[in-house]
Amino acid sequence: MRTRVAIIGAGPAGLLLAHLLHQFGIESVVVEQHTRDHVAGRVRAGVLETVTVDLLARIGLDERLRKEGLVHTGTNISCDDETFRIDFADLTGGASVVVYGQSEVMADLNAAADSRGLDIRYGCDDVALHELDSDHPKVTFTRLGETERIDCDFVAGCDGYHGVSRASIPSHALQTFEKVYPFGWLGVLADVPPAADELIYASHDRGFALASMRSLTRSRYYIQCSLADRLEDWSDARFWDELTLRLGVHAGARVIRGPSFEKSIAPLRSFVAEPMRWGRLFLAGDAAHIVPPTGAKGLNLAATDVIMLAEALAEVILEGRTSGVDHYSARALARVWKAERFSWWFTKLTHRFPETSGIDRRLQAAELDYIRSSRAAQTVLAENYVGLPLTP
Ligand code: FAD
Ligand code: DHB
């Protein structure tokens, strides 16, 4: 079969791109390895920047988000037993973020994909990309025992960190940058009211903790854990005890405990592949870059890549102008690297590193105290947290 753009991966990047292209009147086919329930059910990000909310509005998918999303105009930072608030709205001229889970975004994207008749093929095995450096790339895969082939003009690699797209670029054409952190995040979901009205990022002597939420009745909590830890090591009781300690006396006392219904451990990594293009293949989202989750940038970066990629593809497909696709990688990477920097900095500021000595902890505490007392330092944090503007 033939289409304009073959999109690999039906995660947030792939589905957002399919919707944006549809709005431009450009047809695409999305090829996904897993089932729809598997992709949509993954519990991941929870905080949307204004650019991501605006993108959902642009594709007509912000109705439920406006009703159910929680607008946060600030966040709390805690160091041992001291907590202070970063007032985004005051520091950035009115900006805020919206707490709305990635699984809700996926539900909205999928429901609209059905009603708009987008072509999304789930359960595709052995996905392979061919002739990417020609003007007639192809994608092959097997599904329900049949081999299928898509001929297209462009391929969008939206298949995450472990996908086939980045791996299809010859190594001489790609430069990668990576930092693996010596700890993970243990995340828990529980149907209990959140400990505070807004998020709390806690830097504690025993390690990092984050109090987040999905709604006023559902809490999402994380604590830094050892990479050697297994889920069986963390009973609910042990998790709640550790979380409560790390959030400090005041917030800790407000944690409401309950049975967890999701528990997982995620490793932390900073990773960037340059350039985000090879021939007619364009990478977007986690396929091109990973941030450690501190600061909630992963999903938002996927969304901003996709805005730039959709506009570039529309320009070349509808108007025959190649400047957008030619500049896509440089334009996207300029924003990606700033989010990488922020996520790395926020991780370094708030986590305990195994090699951390007494002086490192004192330096972290001094920097947190400086942020608490300096409007300039708070403004830097707030501007980056709510999301930098799209690069021109
Ligand atoms: P993905 O969501 O990874 O989607 C890629 C899709 O491609 C998947 O559906 C996959 O099945 C499919 N695919 C892979 N290989 C192939 C193939 N060969 N052929 C076809 N399809 C393929 N971000 C935050 O902001 N906050 C968080 O708290 C947070 N927590 C996270 C926890 C975990 C465990 C992980 C892994 C990520 C987390 N992230 C978080 C990051 C955020 O979820 C990602 O940045 C976001 O999902 C990126 O979207 P994406 O579409 O680029 O990639
Ligand atoms: C969530 C995850 C993050 O990484 C973060 O910085 C804030 C919130 C969340 O899952 O709610």
Side-chain angles (χ1 to χ4, degrees):
M1 66 165 304
R2 218 205 110 69
T3 191
R4 285 294 202 169
V5 183
I7 299 174
I8 316 301
L15 291 191
L16 285 167
L17 181 61
H19 278 283
L20 267 176
L21 291 176
H22 176 75
Q23 201 168 44
F24 280 114
I26 297 169
E27 61 166 27
S28 66
V29 177
V30 184
V31 176
E32 165 62 48
Q33 177 182 350
H34 288 108
T35 63
R36 173 162 157 169
D37 285 349
H38 175 91
V39 179
R42 289 181 294 204
V43 180
R44 289 184 169 182
V47 176
L48 306 185
E49 297 174 4
T50 303
V51 279
T52 307
V53 173
D54 290 349
L55 169 59
L56 291 166
R58 177 170 165 183
I59 56 176
L61 294 183
D62 61 332
E63 194 184 319
R64 198 161 67 94
L65 178 147
R66 303 274 179 209
K67 273 197 228 125
E68 297 175 19
L70 304 172
V71 176
H72 284 193
T73 57
T75 196
N76 301 295
I77 310 265
S78 133
C79 182
D80 296 328
D81 288 327
E82 291 268 352
T83 302
F84 59 95
R85 180 168 185 266
I86 305 286
D87 188 330
F88 304 145
D90 176 44
L91 293 160
T92 64
S96 57
V97 293
V98 177
V99 173
Y100 191 69
Q102 181 165 330
S103 46
E104 305 307 319
V105 174
M106 292 302 293
D108 297 342
L109 289 167
N110 274 313
D114 291 341
S115 60
R116 295 172 186 178
L118 301 190
D119 189 343
I120 306 172
R121 298 170 185 217
Y122 289 94
C124 301
D125 290 318
D126 308 318
V127 177
L129 317 185
H130 313 270
E131 298 174 59
L132 295 166
D133 54 348
S134 75
D135 57 6
H136 43 77
K138 296 171 182 51
V139 176
T140 56
F141 54 93
T142 55
R143 196 168 60 125
L144 307 171
E146 301 280 319
T147 300
E148 297 184 39
R149 191 182 94 196
I150 301 174
D151 296 352
C152 55
D153 296 332
F154 300 96
V155 180
C158 300
D159 48 353
Y161 181 68
H162 299 287
V164 67
S165 299
R166 193 180 67 252
S168 305
I169 302 177
S171 55
H172 68 80
L174 202 66
Q175 198 176 3
T176 59
F177 303 87
E178 184 171 41
K179 182 186 286 292
V180 177
Y181 297 83
F183 40 72
W185 273 22
L186 171 63
V188 154
L189 265 179
D191 275 331
V192 289
D197 296 341
E198 293 174 335
L199 274 55
I200 307 169
Y201 288 87
S203 173
H204 191 273
D205 208 35
R206 295 176 65 90
F208 171 81
L210 169 59
S212 181
M213 63 192 75
R214 288 293 174 274
S215 69
L216 297 179
T217 55
R218 179 168 291 181
S219 298
R220 177 69 164 159
Y221 289 114
Y222 299 93
I223 55 173
Q224 172 185 352
C225 67
S226 160
L227 282 172
D229 285 1
R230 293 160 309 153
L231 286 176
E232 308 85 86
D233 301 330
W234 286 96
S235 65
D236 280 2
R238 181 179 173 209
F239 178 84
W240 291 119
D241 286 347
E242 190 63 32
L243 175 78
T244 308
L245 267 178
R246 294 189 193 181
L247 289 177
V249 280
H250 305 294
R254 287 199 300 272
V255 169
I256 300 173
R257 300 177 182 218
S260 70
F261 64 90
E262 202 269 348
K263 207 183 262 168
S264 54
I265 294 179
L268 272 69
R269 177 192 307 276
S270 297
F271 173 86
V272 181
E274 291 185 347
M276 289 168 60
R277 173 197 188 170
W278 190 66
R280 291 198 166 221
L281 168 68
F282 296 86
L283 303 178
D286 280 16
H289 41 72
I290 298 287
V291 286
T294 331
K297 291 287 160 228
L299 172 61
N300 294 297
L301 274 185
T304 45
D305 283 357
V306 159
I307 297 170
M308 298 183 214
L309 181 55
E311 287 172 354
L313 289 172
E315 205 175 277
V316 66
I317 290 170
L318 303 177
E319 299 165 26
R321 290 192 290 126
T322 61
S323 68
V325 286
D326 290 342
H327 292 115
Y328 165 69
S329 174
R331 187 180 173 210
L333 283 167
R335 194 169 186 283
V336 164
W337 274 113
K338 292 183 191 93
E340 290 281 348
R341 185 209 68 79
F342 175 67
S343 308
W344 159 80
W345 169 80
F346 206 16
T347 303
K348 251 189 351 160
L349 178 69
T350 50
H351 289 64
R352 291 306 305 274
F353 285 71
E355 72 276 17
T356 302
S357 62
I359 186 170
D360 299 300
R361 180 71 189 141
R362 286 286 196 283
L363 291 169
Q364 274 184 344
E367 186 165 2
L368 285 159
D369 193 38
Y370 172 62
I371 296 169
R372 186 174 61 80
S373 59
S374 160
R375 186 175 170 92
Q378 290 187 11
T379 306
V380 172
L381 199 164
E383 268 181 8
N384 282 275
Y385 193 93
V386 300
L388 298 176
L390 274 184
T391 31

